[in-house]
Amino acid sequence: MSLHLLASFNSSRHGSFPVIRRSRGLSGRAQISARLRESYRLLRLPEGEPVSPERAKESYLRLAKLYHPDSGAPTADAAAFARVEEAYRSVLAQSRDVARDEDRDRDEDPFSGEAPQHRHYLTYEGVGSGTPGQRERQYRHFRADRAAERVLDYRQKEHEREAATAEGALAERDVRRRSRAAKITQAVERLVEDLIQESMARGDFRNLSGAGKPLDKFRDDPYADPTAHNLNRILADNGYQPPWVLAQREIRETAAGVRAGLLDGRVRLGRALGPPERLRWAELRAHAGEELAELNKKVDGYNLIAPMLKMQMVHYDLAREARRAEEAAERRALERRRARKEEMKKINAAEVASKSVQAERGLASWLKSWLG
């Protein structure tokens, strides 16, 4: 590879000054040696043209199918395949060397017939660094990333708009339903009020026992606030339940489930616990302990919203629940044993009665045959 220097004068707006440029001999092609020419011939590649690594690989794979010993083809030949493989490596190395030399020359000669260096940064929106080719590739990646971000932003805005539209439609439908229900309720109230007024005008309420006396609404708690009592009554009539009531119900249902699980597990293990049964009982207690720990957290939350101090709850204890399960299992075992004894007694009594009946029938038949 030979390089020579060319001096040329630039008559641009910067004035006349010599610019030293560097050009590559042989038009950028490397001189091919005899060994490399033989490698080209073995791979069936043209000698006078530059070969890319992809093209060399395609030719190598095509010849490998013909000469590889394990291909099963009639042209299989280990020696020929070895020569083809060596030729492929030589061509591939030469292609890489040529590409490396071109990149090095491009980096070392920034003024080889291209735009001045300072003008490069006026393009590609100032993105990237390095040679113009590298900056162009970086700018392409930048544009692709920016386009993907814009698409994602557009889709997100579309989803938000659809969600807002759907939410607005649901809210409008809810408003219409509540308005319709309010109209119906008001119509019913007006009708009832008209009927009450008509009855009062006819004197239908004059014969009531409590006429003229105050209403006894707060007999249970004379210090209750009438406003709070009426509000609570309205909420209860419409099916509203305070949060502390729901929390208390959930705690009691969860505790009942834990107790039932402990009891069933202890009953299945039997009265006498061996080493395997004790291990299984310990696992059941550990699982119940985890559930009770979560339940005690709910108890703490419930105690914070309970309206009165006497309604607060205490924590559930694993030892107490396990002892209660063992006692309940013992009682259940005794009840089952007592039920089996009663059943055996009934069975024995039935067998005795059956045998006595059979004996009487046998005696009657014998007397009948003896007297006859």
Side-chain angles (χ1 to χ4, degrees):
M1 185 182 305
S2 63
L3 298 176
H4 61 277
L5 299 178
L6 299 178
S8 63
F9 289 93
N10 187 359
S11 59
S12 63
R13 60 180 178 177
H14 298 285
S16 298
F17 58 92
V19 179
I20 297 185
R21 298 181 180 177
R22 181 174 50 186
S23 63
R24 181 181 303 273
L26 297 180
S27 301
R29 298 179 183 174
Q31 186 176 2
I32 300 178
S33 62
R35 182 179 178 183
L36 192 58
R37 191 179 299 109
E38 180 66 17
S39 300
Y40 271 69
R41 187 186 63 79
L42 288 175
L43 292 177
R44 302 177 184 177
L45 296 173
E47 298 180 3
E49 299 179 1
V51 178
S52 62
E54 291 78 9
R55 186 175 179 183
K57 185 177 181 181
E58 292 178 0
S59 180
Y60 166 71
L61 293 177
R62 184 172 61 255
L63 295 175
K65 294 179 182 179
L66 296 176
Y67 299 119
H68 197 280
D70 298 333
S71 63
T75 58
D77 187 356
F81 174 73
R83 292 195 299 271
V84 168
E85 186 176 6
E86 184 178 0
Y88 169 65
R89 292 179 179 177
S90 300
V91 173
L92 191 62
Q94 188 264 348
S95 300
R96 291 176 179 174
D97 292 341
V98 171
R100 191 182 302 111
D101 292 339
E102 291 178 354
D103 292 339
R104 186 184 302 111
D105 293 339
R106 188 182 302 112
D107 295 337
E108 294 176 355
D109 190 7
F111 299 102
S112 57
E114 299 178 356
Q117 185 72 14
H118 68 278
R119 295 186 60 188
H120 293 177
Y121 296 95
L122 300 178
T123 58
Y124 307 130
E125 301 181 16
V127 176
S129 61
T131 63
Q134 294 174 352
R135 297 186 66 241
E136 182 179 2
R137 289 191 294 272
Q138 295 172 11
Y139 181 64
R140 290 176 182 175
H141 290 297
F142 170 73
R143 291 186 60 187
D145 296 339
R146 184 171 60 184
E149 292 179 358
R150 290 179 178 177
V151 170
L152 291 177
D153 293 340
Y154 175 76
R155 291 180 178 177
Q156 183 177 1
K157 291 180 180 178
E158 287 294 322
H159 290 318
E160 292 177 355
R161 185 178 59 80
E162 293 177 359
T165 304
E167 185 177 359
L170 291 176
E172 185 178 357
R173 185 173 60 184
D174 189 19
V175 169
R176 288 199 301 269
R177 288 181 178 178
R178 286 185 293 180
S179 177
R180 189 182 303 109
K183 290 180 180 178
I184 294 174
T185 303
Q186 293 174 3
V188 172
E189 290 178 354
R190 287 197 300 270
L191 177 60
V192 172
E193 184 66 24
D194 293 341
L195 294 176
I196 292 174
Q197 293 296 332
E198 292 179 2
S199 299
M200 291 175 63
R202 290 195 301 266
D204 294 339
F205 299 145
R206 295 177 182 176
N207 57 350
L208 296 178
S209 58
K213 298 179 180 181
L215 296 177
D216 192 5
K217 293 184 179 180
F218 313 107
R219 181 178 301 175
D220 297 334
D221 189 2
Y223 302 101
D225 185 12
T227 303
H229 177 79
N230 293 330
L231 291 176
N232 291 332
R233 180 180 59 79
I234 293 172
L235 293 175
D237 293 342
N238 288 273
Y240 173 79
Q241 294 181 350
W244 63 271
V245 173
L246 299 177
Q248 185 184 52
R249 180 185 303 172
E250 182 182 1
I251 291 172
R252 296 188 184 280
E253 291 177 355
T254 306
V258 174
R259 289 172 179 172
L262 279 174
L263 179 58
D264 294 340
R266 184 62 183 85
V267 169
R268 286 195 298 269
L269 294 177
R271 297 186 62 186
L273 298 181
E277 288 78 9
R278 291 183 183 277
L279 180 60
R280 178 58 181 165
W281 176 239
E283 293 176 356
L284 290 175
R285 292 186 58 174
H287 181 67
E290 295 176 359
E291 294 181 348
L292 290 179
E294 295 295 332
L295 186 61
N296 289 332
K297 294 180 181 179
K298 296 181 180 180
V299 170
D300 294 337
Y302 164 78
N303 291 334
L304 294 176
I305 60 176
M308 289 185 289
L309 184 62
K310 64 180 181 179
M311 292 184 178
Q312 293 190 350
M313 304 174 68
V314 297
H315 283 185
Y316 290 89
D317 184 53
L318 177 61
R320 183 173 62 250
E321 299 299 334
R323 184 172 60 256
R324 180 181 298 176
E326 292 177 351
E327 294 174 356
E330 185 67 22
R331 289 195 301 270
R332 183 177 294 183
L334 293 176
E335 292 176 357
R336 288 182 178 178
R337 192 181 304 110
R338 190 180 299 109
R340 284 198 296 269
K341 287 183 179 180
E342 295 293 335
E343 187 176 359
M344 291 299 298
K345 287 182 181 180
K346 291 180 181 179
I347 292 174
N348 293 333
E351 290 180 354
V352 170
S354 176
K355 290 181 179 179
S356 62
V357 170
Q358 292 179 0
E360 291 176 358
R361 290 179 180 177
L363 180 59
S365 60
W366 179 78
L367 289 175
K368 185 176 180 181
S369 62
W370 183 73
L371 294 174

